[in-house]
Each structure stands twice: as C-alpha cells, then as structure tokens.
Amino acid sequence: MKQLNSVNIRPGVNVLSVLPHLNYKAWYALAEFVDNAIQSSLDQRRALRTADGSDYRLRIDIDFLAFENAITINDNAAGIANHDYQRAFRPAEIPPDASGLSEFGMGMKSAACWFAPNWSVRTTALGENVERTIIFNIDQIVNDSIEELHVVSIPVATENHYTEIRLDNIRRFPKGNTVKKIKEHLSSIYRAFIRDGTITITVDGDALSYSEPEILVVPSYRDPEGPAVTWKKDIDINLGEGKSAAGFVAIRKTISNRLAGLALFRRNRLIMGSFDETYRPKDIFGASNSYAYLRVFGEIHLRGFQVSHTKDGIKWEESEDTFLKQLRRQISGKDFPLLQQVREYRSNKDAKNTRGVAKAAASSIAGRLNKQAVFADAPGAEPIDTGAPLPTLPETKLEHVRFELRFRGENWIVTIELSYADTPSNWLDICNRPLITDPEPREITIRISMMHPFMAQYPTLDSEGFTGLLNVAAAMALSEVAASELADRHPSAIRRFTNEILRNQLSKRIIDD
C-alpha cells in the first residue's frame, strides 16, 4: 500500500471560503456526517460483519464539547480507504457510485466549513494498518492558496476501523433548545435506519429513538356503529419517467399542530418533513386550523428524484402537482375516504388537550377584572360558594374561575365553570340564577360545555381565542338575567345588554386603560 504524505485539494480551494455561508440548519449539517458513515457501513456491510461478527451495528456518536467550543463525530464504519483518500477531501469530487447517501462529493466539506474554520479528520479503514489525520485551517488555506495538505500517519492494528471528525472554534455552537431540536430532527431523518435496528446514533450520550404516532382506530363516519377501522392507507403512485412514490398516509389518534404532516424520503433518508417541519401542501391539508392539517400524517418514499445539495428539498420539476393530485385521489376515494373521515371525526380528547389553554384564558379574564382567580384544582384553593346547589359533576370534570364586575349600578360576582363532562347538553347554562331581591354583591354561576360539538369545530383556539369566547358567554348570561328582571319583552334586550357588557365591562381595552 502506497504511503500517503499529502492530499491535493485542488480545484476548489476558493470554494471553501463560500461554504460557511450556506443556508444550513444545524441538524442538516450534522446529517451530512451521518450520511457518510451510513453509506460507508452499507458499502462494506459484509466485510464489517466478517470482522466484527454478525451482530455488527453502526454506531455514530455526536458530542458537543462546550468548554472546548468543539464538536466531535465518531463512527465505527469502514473508514476512508487508501484509494478513496484523495477524492474524499477534494471539494465537489463526486464519488464513483453516487446512488447512495454520499452523492455530491461536498457533504463533509460543506458541513464542516459551515460549522467551523478549523476541523480535522482522523480515520483508519477496515483491513488497513494505518491511521491518517488531516487538518483543515480554512482561513490559512484560502489566504495562502494552499493546494496540498499534510497527512499525519501512524500504524494501528488492521482490525481497527473508525472515523473521528473534530470541529473546532465553532461559529454557531448548539446549546439549549437547539440541541434538543438536533436530537428530534436526527431521530426523524434517520427513523427508517433506527427502526430496523441497523444504526445507533447518540447525541451527548443519549441514544436517539423515534416515537411512532398512534393511528386512529374508530368506525367510519358513514357508519358510526360499525366496525372499527384503522385509518391508514398504503400509497403507490407511478409518476412516469422512472419516478414513483410509495408509502402510507394515516390519521393521528390525537391532533398535533407540530407533528402532523407528510415526511418525504429518498433512499430511506428523510429529505422533507423532518420533525416539526413537516410537508403539508394546501391541496391535501387545507388551512392551518383544519383537522387534516392537525391529524393527517404519513411517510412517502420517492424514487427517481434529485434533491438539493443540502439534502433538505426535493427537485420536483413538473411532478409535484401530479403527485399531489394522485395522492389526494388515493386518500379520498369511496373505498377508503380518509380525508372525509378526518373532516367528520371529532374526539373528546381534542377538547381535553386544550384544557390548559382554556384555563389560562379564564384566569386572564379574572385577573384583568379583580387581579385574582380561584381554580378548583389550584393548590390550597377553597371551594367556591355559589349560594345554590349545582348539578353534581366530579371536580376533575370542571375548572372554576370567579371574578367581580359592576353592571347597571350593581356589583356582581360571576363564576364561570368550564365543564369537561363527556356527555354535553347545552353549550351555555346558567347554573345559579340570582333573584332580584338578593343582596349585593349578586352572584351568578354559568357553565360552558367544552365538549360540546360547537367547541369541536375550533381545535386550534389559543388563549386569546378562548378569552373572546368566554367573554361572550359571560355577557350573554348576564344579559339574560338582566333582561328578565326588567320585564323587558323586546327580544332585542339581550342583544342590547350583551353589547353594553362587552363594551363597558369585558373590553380588554377599557380594562387596561
């Protein structure tokens, strides 16, 4: 085996100065190193199993060394062989076989330069007895137009095989939530490899895993009393000219604003739709507040397509519209109307999932009016004395909030109950109707059914949305009581009082002023 003393990195030296400005995200940049390790292990699978045993598994360890401002990526793949060494470090040198995950000859170089101005690669190839290290100082290479880099070689045992990439003086050091997102995205991008057990990826010592969404299993909306159906549809689309798409589309058991949507793969590696950046074309998913947008998900494996050089986009050319039309046809046919099912199906869990948001909205109303709110499940909270018995509901089915206001010359204490009983009747009920002879402050208790079909239409209401809805409910209840006590026989009285209360008592602008 010929001794390697240097590596020629010409042509493309000036390209290295451009690479830090690529539009990468940290997880896609790290994915370039993972791709190379996976492809190395796939190319040498038989030799690796012969050397390490049939239970050989690729392992990739990514570590963020904050005190050193460095990142290391270690793998036990087959290493960079002597005959590949020169090509591996020349920018844009396409590998002889570009049908795998390493196809542009730029991944390691572009990702390393994006992260850091100084980086090194230490590797020994399976069956070779030499460990080689090469060090890149990008500023020096560009400023001095260096075209050859020195290779440091030391002898090692032939059974060794590994690669360590070390990135120093990190420009964008991942920390906090970014590290969390890196773990989530890498788990999503490489889910197919993690699933079949051929790879272990760790980040700061934590082994990555992919959490499979639970699929909805309920009767069809066309036959509510019929057999339960698993709402998952296999997809097979021929797009012509060697292009195709296959996989599945399904309905999530629970809604998710972040995680619903499609994941698009090529060569078992996710390209579009990673974690919370899922692919949700409007033709399939509709508006962001629709149930399809919140519940439909799937995995589609594409063949015959090219991808962007950063591997985060599909080059559709003229095929995307055709793909979406055929996909929609397959998931909305009479034999398996998945899109119709997601539009018609309503789950009580959807309302319960927003319980915390509704509770915060009610607290906000009370806080603006009297700077305090009492919830039934708050630590140390006293039961609210409404002055009259209420229909019995377990405490776990209710949220309480109470506030004070002055309306038409009288002081009122208003208690709002948010009911999560599974068998809703009316959307709005007055549970404690005060008498005109009651002393001040007069008290009224109203109950809003959060499980009512009306509420099910709005699965994405945020705290501001719930605040408006609860204000209107409180105004309607107070208006009804006031109108009946004044013996006002005109139907417009409730509307008139509602407008007055919303304008003068429950307007955030007036209260804040």
Side-chain angles (χ1 to χ4, degrees):
M1 183 170 58
K2 184 179 178 180
Q3 178 69 33
L4 273 172
N5 297 315
S6 65
V7 166
N8 190 310
I9 58 173
R10 185 186 61 205
V13 169
N14 289 331
V15 172
L16 298 177
S17 64
V18 178
L19 297 179
H21 306 290
L22 287 173
N23 188 28
Y24 264 130
K25 293 180 179 177
W27 39 93
Y28 282 116
L30 288 169
E32 297 285 8
F33 306 118
V34 178
D35 284 349
N36 287 346
I38 291 176
Q39 194 57 49
S40 172
S41 70
L42 292 176
D43 290 342
Q44 299 291 327
R45 182 185 304 172
R46 182 175 297 178
L48 287 166
R49 287 181 175 174
T50 298
D52 289 13
S54 59
D55 59 348
Y56 166 81
R57 174 183 290 189
L58 173 64
R59 182 182 178 93
I60 303 167
D61 298 315
I62 301 170
D63 292 290
F64 300 114
L65 311 177
F67 291 112
E68 302 176 41
N69 193 24
I71 300 173
T72 60
I73 304 99
N74 289 273
D75 71 64
N76 66 340
I80 303 175
N82 181 68
H83 61 270
D84 285 328
Y85 207 82
Q86 293 282 352
R87 176 194 59 76
F89 295 101
R90 279 197 296 268
E93 186 81 10
I94 297 175
D97 182 3
S99 62
L101 299 182
S102 302
E103 55 187 306
F104 298 114
M106 284 295 292
M108 176 179 66
K109 281 83 74 176
S110 60
C113 290
W114 182 83
F115 267 117
N118 306 99
W119 52 278
S120 62
V121 179
R122 183 171 63 92
T123 185
T124 182
L126 181 64
E128 297 182 4
N129 62 354
V130 179
E131 177 196 275
R132 302 182 181 90
T133 301
I134 185 170
I135 300 173
F136 280 73
N137 182 326
I138 303 305
D139 292 339
Q140 184 181 12
I141 290 171
V142 173
N143 292 336
D144 298 343
S145 297
I146 296 173
E147 295 183 346
E148 284 196 347
L149 297 179
H150 181 62
V151 177
V152 178
S153 300
I154 62 172
V156 293
T158 56
E159 62 266 24
N160 290 344
H161 53 91
Y162 52 80
T163 298
E164 179 192 74
I165 299 170
R166 182 182 173 94
L167 313 173
D168 285 293
N169 301 319
I170 304 298
R171 296 186 182 92
R172 310 166 181 85
F173 195 88
K175 57 183 69 174
N177 192 53
T178 302
V179 174
K180 181 174 182 291
K181 291 197 72 173
I182 285 170
K183 293 178 180 180
E184 291 165 332
H185 278 280
L186 292 180
S187 298
S188 180
I189 292 169
Y190 297 103
R191 69 182 77 170
F193 296 98
I194 292 172
R195 234 181 234 144
D196 66 18
T198 59
I199 182 174
T200 296
I201 304 174
T202 72
V203 176
D204 282 344
D206 295 332
L208 303 186
S209 61
Y210 180 72
S211 180
E212 305 285 350
E214 196 169 354
I215 295 173
L216 182 68
V217 181
V218 296
S220 168
Y221 73 97
R222 297 180 297 193
D223 184 13
E225 303 302 321
V229 177
T230 300
W231 289 98
K232 177 181 178 181
K233 170 73 172 176
D234 289 333
I235 302 299
D236 191 358
I237 299 172
N238 186 346
L239 296 165
E241 299 181 346
K243 296 177 179 179
S244 63
F248 74 88
V249 176
I251 301 176
R252 293 177 60 93
K253 183 177 180 180
T254 57
I255 63 174
S256 174
N257 191 42
R258 291 195 309 153
L259 301 179
L262 300 179
L264 305 183
F265 293 77
R266 193 193 64 150
R267 301 172 185 173
N268 263 1
R269 191 256 205 210
L270 186 145
I271 303 297
M272 288 181 66
S274 173
F275 184 56
D276 57 356
E277 299 174 349
T278 51
Y279 176 66
R280 286 189 263 201
K282 196 169 185 178
D283 289 354
I284 303 293
F285 291 87
S288 60
N289 63 347
S290 70
Y291 271 97
Y293 193 92
L294 300 170
R295 258 209 166 96
V296 173
F297 78 103
E299 297 182 4
I300 307 293
H301 291 257
L302 302 173
R303 293 183 182 276
F305 287 89
Q306 298 300 313
V307 299
S308 65
H309 74 280
T310 50
K311 300 179 188 172
D312 59 357
I314 304 291
K315 293 185 176 180
W316 290 103
E317 297 175 348
E318 305 297 324
S319 301
E320 185 173 17
D321 286 345
T322 304
F323 163 70
L324 292 175
K325 286 177 183 176
Q326 291 200 37
L327 178 62
R328 184 178 180 85
R329 190 178 301 123
Q330 292 198 16
I331 61 176
S332 59
K334 291 182 179 179
D335 60 326
F336 201 82
L338 185 145
L339 282 185
Q340 295 90 322
Q341 175 71 17
V342 79
R343 282 197 299 266
E344 298 296 331
Y345 176 72
R346 299 293 180 268
S347 167
N348 287 345
K349 287 186 178 180
D350 295 343
K352 292 175 181 177
N353 287 339
T354 60
R355 185 167 181 163
V357 180
K359 178 177 176 178
S363 179
S364 174
I365 295 170
R368 291 202 311 270
L369 289 166
N370 61 4
K371 306 303 181 187
Q372 65 178 0
V374 181
F375 285 99
D377 59 353
E382 295 296 327
I384 297 172
D385 180 11
T386 61
L390 297 174
T392 302
L393 280 179
E395 287 296 309
T396 56
K397 300 291 185 181
L398 291 172
E399 301 284 4
H400 299 166
V401 65
R402 186 165 75 167
F403 55 87
E404 299 179 13
L405 58 79
R406 188 166 180 82
F407 172 54
R408 301 187 70 81
E410 294 182 301
N411 293 323
W412 291 76
I413 294 177
V414 180
T415 300
I416 296 179
E417 291 186 349
L418 307 182
S419 170
Y420 288 86
D422 293 329
T423 54
S425 51
N426 298 324
W427 174 65
L428 176 64
D429 279 314
I430 299 175
C431 302
N432 177 37
R433 182 185 294 272
L435 300 175
I436 196 169
T437 56
D438 287 351
E440 290 192 38
R442 302 180 67 198
E443 296 195 23
I444 181 172
T445 302
I446 64 174
R447 178 175 291 170
I448 301 170
S449 172
M450 305 303 287
M451 309 299 286
H452 194 275
F454 170 70
M455 298 300 295
Q457 299 176 85
Y458 307 103
T460 59
L461 275 181
D462 57 12
S463 182
E464 288 295 318
F466 276 118
T467 297
L469 202 64
L470 299 181
N471 275 333
V472 170
M476 289 175 60
L478 282 169
S479 298
E480 179 183 323
V481 172
S484 63
E485 290 178 353
L486 294 175
D488 195 327
R489 297 182 182 275
H490 296 287
S492 63
I494 291 179
R495 173 165 45 86
R496 187 169 72 249
F497 288 145
T498 297
N499 285 330
E500 180 181 337
I501 293 168
L502 291 175
R503 181 177 64 251
N504 296 329
Q505 278 74 37
L506 296 177
S507 168
K508 185 177 188 296
R509 180 182 61 81
I510 297 296
I511 293 166
D512 288 346
D513 289 347

